[in-house]
């Protein structure tokens, strides 16, 4: 039997870099809001049995009705002032609803076109015993360090650098402990590293790109099927 996970979807950001008028998660691609694409992708993977979305405080009802109207079953809860707080609130709601969870995925609404196969691969790796798993890609660009005047001080060897995507997958107890100890803001796996738990990787996918800027939105409209 395929492993079953609960997915937390932080979708409470404002989308400042996108410059959208409302929340980024409600911006449409092919007429469908990003959060609907993201939740559908999770449900299509076959390994996600429940989705909890953290929405902007001002848009909880809107997001709930948009998802329900699209037939994308999810519990929508108010998110927080930063992503860490949004995930914390979604995790608390998920635990309240399904205390028997053992695998938790955390997946950005902004990575709306993540292939279901990648979602399954992360879930399977946690089910196989990894306490924490992140999808990664090699870094394509040359990377340099600069000083405060933007003068290059170093060319960083990128051989052992990876760009990290979502979903990030965790054994429930590990994510819970990481969030109980969280005192600053990094990605979910970063919080897990801080409690001394190893984080493993699976190959990421270009389609799991994060929609951050208007350019990314144009790429998504052009590349992903209707
Ligand atoms: N997020 C969240 N709660 C916040 C901030 C961000 O749930 N308080 C979510 C976003 O909705 C997004 C994911 O975290 O799905 C990744 O964040 P990012 O891409 O930075 O989105 P925004 O914060 O909305 O964008 P920006 O930083 O440009 O304002
Ligand atoms: Mg942000």
């Amino acid at each position: 039997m395929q492993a079953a996970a609960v997915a937390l979807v932080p979708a409470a950001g404002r989308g400042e870099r996108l410059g959208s008028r409302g929340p980024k998660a409600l911006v449409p691609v092919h007429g469908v809001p990003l959060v609907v694409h993201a939740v559908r992708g999770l449900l299509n993977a076959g390994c996600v049995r429940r989705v909890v979305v953290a929405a902007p405080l001002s848009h909880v009802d809107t997001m709930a009705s948009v998802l329900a109207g699209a037939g994308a079953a999810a519990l929508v809860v108010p998110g927080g002032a930063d992503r860490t707080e949004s995930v914390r609130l979604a995790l608390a709601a998920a635990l309240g609803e399904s205390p028997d969870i053992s695998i938790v995925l955390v997946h950005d609404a902004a990575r709306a076109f993540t292939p279901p196969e990648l979602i399954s691969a992360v879930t399977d790796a946690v089910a196989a015993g990894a306490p924490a798993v992140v999808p990664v890609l090699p870094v394509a660009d040359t990377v340099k360090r600069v000083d405060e005047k933007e003068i290059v001080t170093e060319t960083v060897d990128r051989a052992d650098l990876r760009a990290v995507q979502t979903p990030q997958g965790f054994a429930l107890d590990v994510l819970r402990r990481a969030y109980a100890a969280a005192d600053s803001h990094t990605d979910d796996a970063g919080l897990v590293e801080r409690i001394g738990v190893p984080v493993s990787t699976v190959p990421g996918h270009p389609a799991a790109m994060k929609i951050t800027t208007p350019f990314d939105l144009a790429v998504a409209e052009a590349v992903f099927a209707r």
Side-chain angles (χ1 to χ4, degrees), residues 54-81:
L57 210 51
S58 52
H59 287 74
V60 176
D61 293 344
T62 311
M63 232 176 250
S65 60
V66 159
L67 284 160
L75 171 66
V76 181
V77 301

Side-chain angles (χ1 to χ4, degrees), residues 5-186:
V6 169
L8 314 179
V9 178
R14 288 210 293 259
E16 279 171 13
R17 288 168 289 180
L18 189 58
S20 52
R21 276 207 277 140
K24 179 163 75 176
L26 289 173
V27 168
V29 168
H30 301 320
V32 176
L34 292 178
V35 69
V36 172
H37 286 290
V39 172
R40 279 185 181 156
L42 287 161
L43 295 172
N44 286 342
C47 55
V48 173
R49 70 156 206 242
R50 186 67 169 144
V51 179
V52 180
V53 173
L57 210 51
S58 52
H59 287 74
V60 176
D61 293 344
T62 311
M63 232 176 250
S65 60
V66 159
L67 284 160
L75 171 66
V76 181
V77 301
D82 56 44
R83 186 183 179 283
T84 303
E85 208 42 45
S86 294
V87 172
R88 190 196 299 281
L89 291 163
L91 178 61
L95 284 168
E97 203 190 45
S98 0
D100 60 331
I101 313 171
S102 62
I103 300 175
V104 184
L105 303 180
V106 185
H107 185 45
D108 291 334
R111 297 184 189 272
F113 298 95
T114 300
E117 296 74 22
L118 178 57
I119 295 162
S120 302
V122 170
T123 307
D124 289 348
V126 179
V133 179
V134 296
V136 297
L137 288 176
V139 177
D141 293 318
T142 299
V143 177
K144 294 193 192 290
R145 201 178 303 280
V146 295
D147 65 16
E148 60 289 346
K149 292 183 176 137
E150 291 289 312
I151 302 294
V152 172
T153 57
E154 190 194 346
T155 300
V156 182
D157 181 6
R158 67 177 182 222
D160 61 354
L161 295 181
R162 301 289 180 270
V164 179
Q165 303 180 317
T166 74
Q168 301 191 354
F170 306 92
L172 170 66
D173 180 55
V174 166
L175 190 65
R176 240 171 141 165
R177 283 194 287 128
Y179 268 83
D183 56 358
S184 63
H185 302 294
T186 169

